[in-house]
Amino acid sequence: MRANLIAGEWVEGAATVADVNPSDLSDVVEEFAVADEAQVDAAIEAATAAAPGWAATSPAERFAVLERVGLELETRATELGEQLSREEGKPKGEGVGEVLRASQLFKFFAGEALRVPGEHLRSVRPGVDVDIVREPLGVVGVITPWNFPIAIPAWKIAPALAYGCTVVFKPAEMVPASAWSLVEICARAGLPDGVLNLVIGPGRVVGERMLNDPRVRGVSFTGSQATGARVAQALAARFAKAQLEMGGKNPLVVLDDADLEIAVDCAAQGAFFQTGQRCTASSRLIASAGIHDRFVEELVERMRSLRVGHALADDTDVGPVVSADQLEQDLDYLTVGRGEGAELVHGGARLERETEGYFLEPALFVGTSNEMRVNREEIFGPIATVIRATDPDEALVLANDTEFGLSAGVCTTSLAHAARFRDGLQAGIVTVNLPTAGVDFHVPFGGTKASSSGSREQGRYAVEFFTTVKTAYVRP
Ligand code: ADP
């Protein structure tokens, strides 16, 4: 049983939660302590007590801690990547890749700790100087989802620590092993007690407690729209900051002049890799009339070659769906799509493998309209749709006709179309001849419309959320 970390102590809970392998339901990765409300309060208390000390550390101290975390993550990438694949179900290569990404995030923010931006100006009043400095926000809550069990915690916790905040971290209770390992590494890397606290437990208990505590000055959240709305409401009511990353219904537009091989690669990768369980997944494929049939044919061909299986098997391209609930949701959407008149041209079957797991064959609907629920709602599974567009103009309108705005892509060999879609797509992330998913660690990440709220995550833009601005007028 692995415990929670509160004020530098590993503490057990009244209950435990089992971390089960979705590739093999007989395999329990580990049992974890579940925090109760009193323990959440204790974690917030510890983070509050540690805040002034951590805010006063030198940039060099923060750099050193974060760099040590980054280095250990890199050294242990294979072991931790396999643990991640075991608990979440993404293939081993992607699990290891995600741990390396977490390592890079810590190293990047180690550097950022050294160059926290500020400004110095002369006042409009003679003899007065103005200093504009960024100060740590204080105690922040970090609430994360199950689909990136180590990268999302890393891209929130690393900047929080770099900019001098203390943290109460609540990972998704379905995938606590990666979160626990990350916290354990951070604790050994030299963080003072209370700077980073781990409270595993259900959102409606542990999460809610954090939302409502006035000592928590901001919450960085990634998850569903419904929970995001709840986080926003609770924090707005007490004038605290919220940084929300929620869903997507990301279009990938394939124009007549696209390189077909690139377009099929982008679609297969963006829609089905990581079992489609990415908020940046290419779930709406919009193909213009001249390429539509060839694109569908080639994509189905590619889908036939995708091997669905145990996340730790060497030849697996697509792992299982994460949980029974998620699988049920995916199967429901397959029924909904058929009911709306979409044609399922490939996949959608539950697959049997040697071990009992949530295996689902990647599925493709064609003949869909943008009004269908399968094109409006985030499915979060290995299910994509194709919408036929008459021309680039209509493709752009269809791409933007969604409440979401996280990521959007276009495949084209025309510079003019590329520029037009880059400017015209309403999304925080735009890709040209690349999948809508798969982003760099050193540049901002986030969306528009109902996908995101608050300032951007990652890159230098992360400073905005984790700091407040002080304007100092000084007459020497
Ligand atoms: P997902 O569909 O990815 O599971 P959720 O929004 O349900 O999305 O969960 C994302 C994170 O938010 C998880 O860590 C979950 O426990 C947490 N959470 C769920 N409900 C609440 C809530 N009422 N308050 C705070 N956090 C919550």
Side-chain angles (χ1 to χ4, degrees), residues 143-146 170-173 201-204 207-208 211 221-224 227 230-231:
I143 300 179
T144 56
W146 49 260
K170 192 209 92 64
E173 56 272 38
R204 64 186 181 284
E208 278 290 332
L211 304 186
F221 164 86
T222 301
S224 64
T227 310
R230 168 75 202 119
V231 175

Side-chain angles (χ1 to χ4, degrees), residues 95-393:
V96 174
E98 189 180 328
V99 176
L100 289 172
R101 173 133 171 245
S103 159
Q104 290 160 333
L105 284 156
F106 268 86
K107 290 181 193 168
F108 175 84
F109 282 108
E112 289 310 287
L114 299 173
R115 46 180 171 253
V116 180
E119 286 182 74
H120 175 83
L121 290 83
R122 297 278 185 226
S123 167
V124 293
R125 287 169 279 172
V128 174
D129 286 343
V130 184
D131 291 309
I132 303 168
V133 294
R134 289 197 172 267
E135 297 186 334
L137 183 58
V139 177
V140 296
V142 166
I143 300 179
T144 56
W146 49 260
N147 62 333
F148 286 91
I150 204 161
I152 295 180
W155 83 51
K156 295 178 189 297
I157 292 170
L161 298 177
Y163 297 123
C165 296
T166 58
V167 178
V168 180
F169 170 35
K170 192 209 92 64
E173 56 272 38
M174 220 189 305
V175 291
S178 300
W180 188 91
S181 297
L182 177 64
V183 170
E184 196 268 336
I185 290 170
C186 289
R188 273 189 295 99
L191 282 179
D193 292 350
V195 171
L196 173 61
N197 303 274
L198 175 69
V199 282
I200 296 164
R204 64 186 181 284
V205 181
V206 173
E208 278 290 332
R209 197 79 185 172
M210 284 159 61
L211 304 186
N212 294 319
D213 193 309
R215 294 171 293 184
V216 177
R217 296 314 308 145
V219 169
S220 182
F221 164 86
T222 301
S224 64
Q225 236 182 1
T227 310
R230 168 75 202 119
V231 175
Q233 248 172 7
L235 295 193
R238 57 183 185 80
F239 308 109
K241 266 170 129 176
Q243 182 179 52
L244 312 172
E245 292 299 345
M246 297 163 289
K249 194 71 195 173
N250 311 292
L252 176 71
V253 174
V254 178
L255 296 180
D256 286 357
D257 63 13
D259 177 316
L260 190 57
E261 198 180 324
I262 290 179
V264 169
D265 268 353
C266 291
Q269 219 267 38
F272 306 120
F273 280 28
Q274 295 194 16
T275 325
Q277 298 174 150
R278 296 188 280 192
C279 41
T280 50
S282 315
S283 48
R284 286 187 303 141
L285 307 171
I286 301 171
S288 58
I291 199 168
H292 176 280
D293 294 356
R294 280 181 296 141
F295 171 68
V296 169
E297 197 178 313
E298 290 288 317
L299 181 57
V300 168
E301 201 51 45
R302 180 68 56 88
M303 290 171 75
R304 288 207 174 94
S305 72
L306 292 175
R307 288 157 305 193
V308 180
H310 195 298
L312 294 178
D314 286 332
D315 60 353
T316 292
D317 298 310
V318 176
V321 172
V322 75
S323 67
D325 283 353
Q326 192 62 45
L327 179 64
E328 196 183 310
Q329 181 172 314
D330 295 348
L331 294 171
D332 276 354
Y333 274 113
L334 288 169
T335 309
V336 166
R338 285 200 200 90
E340 290 179 307
E343 184 195 347
L344 187 69
V345 282
H346 181 78
R350 272 223 59 188
L351 300 174
E352 301 278 319
R353 291 293 178 260
E354 268 173 35
T355 49
E356 195 194 342
Y358 306 119
F359 302 105
L360 180 63
E361 192 180 25
L364 188 69
F365 278 122
V366 300
T368 72
S369 81
N370 209 36
E371 281 65 50
M372 292 178 176
R373 277 183 61 200
V374 284
N375 279 323
R376 314 261 9 137
E377 298 169 17
E378 186 177 46
I379 299 174
F380 225 63
I383 302 170
T385 61
V386 182
I387 307 172
R388 185 193 293 264
T390 45
D391 54 27
D393 288 343

